[in-house]
Amino acid sequence: MNRPDTLIGQLGRRLARRAGVAPKIAIVLGSGFKSLGESVAKTFSVTYSRLPGFAKPSVPGHEGTLICGHLAGVPIWVLSGRAHFYEGHSMDTITRPIRVLAAAGVTTLLLTNAAGGIRKGFSPGHFMRITDHINLMGTHPLRGSQHQPAPPFVDLTQAYDSALGDALDQAARTARVHWHQGVYLAVSGPSYETPAEIQAFKRLGADAVGMSTVPEVIVARQLRVRVAAVSCISNAAAGLGKGQVSHQEVLETGRRAGAEATRLITEFVRRVRLG
Ligand code: HPA
């Protein structure tokens, strides 16, 4: 094993011992989902600044804490906040937490984010099950990767696990949230898009646009971790709404959608069959 993988393995195993909870399932909380962290019956938590190799998110609303405990009686680890590519971190750095989770024993991963709605009828406060993605970040988390397992030609035909997706659909019905399925298109940011870009993305088949998640999905699939993902639609994408797109609006929608997001994820965790 190469040195980065050795360090990642050691950190994962050390955290698993320290947490006292063997995690099969982990959740990454993006904007709009942070309040879920408060529902976890916590056994242990640690900020990213104390975890070697974890970048501390610098953007307001993206604090970084690993929370270990139980949700709906299910052992769970929650990564509250993520570092983004647009902050200047490498792809390797932003996906390191996924490698640590896998080393700790995580086999099922739910990724969450905020996204701009492109498809007609996708309004702020709605949620979207990500069924597939388009990577327009301009780079790839496995480019030049020295991590195991090699080779890096990961199959993404079914990147998003259909059984987990079905569990999300059921959870959405029980939680009574506005629910859609669709394709998430990832850009690098940090600016929001132009209206012309959004029209182009629409023609490409995108239903929502955001600046995260896709690198994590790819690395999780390299590690054979099952993936589900949900977007909280935080705003109409550029040119589709009344005004401009702002980070303030993204954060405000996230705060308003917090209770629904918590219900949705709690119902999902209840339904998940852990492999
Ligand atoms: N574009 C890109 N990323 C986003 C958006 C958006 O409109 N909303 C939230 N994240």
Side-chain angles (χ1 to χ4, degrees):
M1 210 183 262
N2 62 32
R3 190 168 153 70
D5 281 341
T6 306
L7 295 176
I8 287 165
Q10 284 169 353
L11 179 58
R13 289 189 296 276
R14 184 156 60 78
L15 285 170
R17 277 197 303 276
R18 178 73 184 79
V21 171
K24 286 255 173 92
I25 179 164
I27 304 180
V28 177
L29 302 181
S31 313
F33 293 86
K34 296 290 160 49
S35 56
L36 178 92
E38 290 152 28
S39 299
V40 176
K42 208 191 296 179
T43 54
F44 169 71
S45 73
V46 57
T47 59
Y48 295 173
S49 55
R50 302 193 53 202
L51 296 176
F54 275 52
K56 195 174 165 306
S58 63
V59 177
H62 290 291
E63 314 65 25
T65 313
L66 168 66
I67 303 164
C68 307
H70 292 84
L71 181 67
V74 178
I76 197 164
W77 283 20
V78 173
L79 287 171
S80 182
R82 56 158 68 86
H84 292 81
F85 186 60
Y86 61 67
E87 293 170 83
H89 305 296
S90 68
M91 280 278 161
D92 199 50
T93 298
I94 63 168
T95 51
R96 178 166 289 233
I98 306 303
R99 296 189 183 283
V100 172
L101 291 176
V106 167
T107 53
T108 298
L109 181 65
L110 175 65
L111 298 164
T112 67
N113 62 40
I118 297 179
R119 203 202 301 168
K120 207 166 178 304
F122 280 30
S123 302
H126 290 192
F127 293 87
M128 180 184 89
R129 163 184 166 190
I130 301 178
T131 54
D132 205 345
H133 73 230
I134 299 172
N135 179 12
L136 284 190
M137 295 186 87
T139 184
H140 195 287
L142 301 181
R143 178 174 178 269
S145 174
Q146 300 297 311
H147 293 288
Q148 298 300 318
F153 305 114
V154 176
D155 175 53
L156 296 176
T157 311
Q158 289 177 324
Y160 300 84
D161 186 275
S162 58
L164 293 178
D166 291 347
L168 273 174
D169 288 345
Q170 289 166 17
R173 273 195 292 278
T174 308
R176 296 178 160 278
V177 300
H178 289 280
W179 189 242
H180 306 277
Q181 295 185 2
V183 173
Y184 175 88
L185 184 145
V187 289
S188 69
S191 73
Y192 292 113
E193 300 69 38
T194 63
E197 285 168 340
I198 294 301
Q199 289 308 316
F201 295 169
K202 193 173 181 174
R203 288 194 184 94
L204 287 178
D207 298 303
V209 59
M211 304 176 192
S212 68
T213 306
V214 162
E216 297 158 4
V217 172
I218 294 169
V219 168
R221 292 310 299 144
Q222 185 204 18
L223 299 168
R224 308 240 190 283
V225 172
R226 295 195 306 162
V227 174
V230 184
S231 296
C232 172
I233 303 300
S234 53
N235 57 282
L240 302 179
K242 291 200 186 77
Q244 302 185 344
V245 182
S246 74
H247 186 54
Q248 202 50 38
E249 182 186 5
V250 172
L251 293 181
E252 267 163 31
T253 307
R255 267 192 287 278
R256 273 189 282 116
E260 289 197 355
T262 296
R263 279 208 312 273
L264 172 69
I265 294 185
T266 307
E267 290 299 333
F268 169 74
V269 168
R270 280 205 177 103
R271 283 171 174 75
V272 166
R273 281 179 200 285
L274 295 173

